[in-house]
Amino acid sequence: MAMEFAGVLGAHLAGATRDEVPRRLRGYERAQRPLVEAAQTNSRGLAKLMFRDGHVYSLARDLAFRRAPLEVAIRPIRRLRRTRPSITPGVRQGDRTPG
C-alpha cells in the first residue's frame, strides 16, 4: 500500500505549482482516506483474532489457520483492493493532472 500511495501522491502533485500543493494534498488525503480507514479496520479485526491469551484458543486458532485455504486468509485484503478508490481520483485521463 505504501508504494501505491506514493504513486497516487505523485500523480496528485505532478505539475503542481507551489500555490497548488496544499489543495492537491487535501485532494490526495480525501481520495486515500477511505482505503486507509478500511485497512485499519481490517487490521484491528485481525488483531482481535491474533492477540488473544489462552493456550487452547491459540492452538485452535493456529490449527484453523493451517487448514484454511490461502484464499480465505487473504479475502479481506482482496476485498480492500476491489473496493479501493480509483488510483487518481479527480485526475483527467489524458494529462494525469488533477482537474
Side-chain angles (χ1 to χ4, degrees):
M1 286 179 72
M3 296 301 290
E4 179 183 342
F5 282 21
V8 173
L9 179 60
H12 275 272
L13 295 177
T17 65
R18 176 180 233 155
D19 294 337
E20 293 174 319
V21 169
R23 178 182 58 81
R24 292 201 185 184
L25 287 173
R26 285 189 300 274
Y28 166 79
E29 181 182 359
R30 198 170 37 254
Q32 295 302 104
R33 183 175 292 275
L35 180 58
V36 170
E37 289 176 351
Q40 289 174 338
T41 299
N42 186 40
S43 293
R44 287 184 191 108
L46 183 58
K48 288 177 184 176
L49 286 174
M50 300 307 293
F51 302 115
R52 295 208 29 193
D53 291 331
H55 185 70
V56 173
Y57 175 83
S58 297
L59 287 172
R61 178 202 59 219
D62 293 347
L63 180 62
F65 274 110
R66 277 192 216 115
R67 300 231 186 267
L70 180 60
E71 177 59 36
V72 171
I74 64 172
R75 188 177 297 147
I77 296 167
R78 286 196 170 167
R79 189 176 313 122
L80 274 176
R81 306 307 305 148
R82 272 195 318 273
T83 60
R84 71 182 170 87
S86 72
I87 193 160
T88 50
V91 173
R92 291 187 301 263
Q93 291 302 317
D95 62 12
R96 306 292 292 166
T97 58

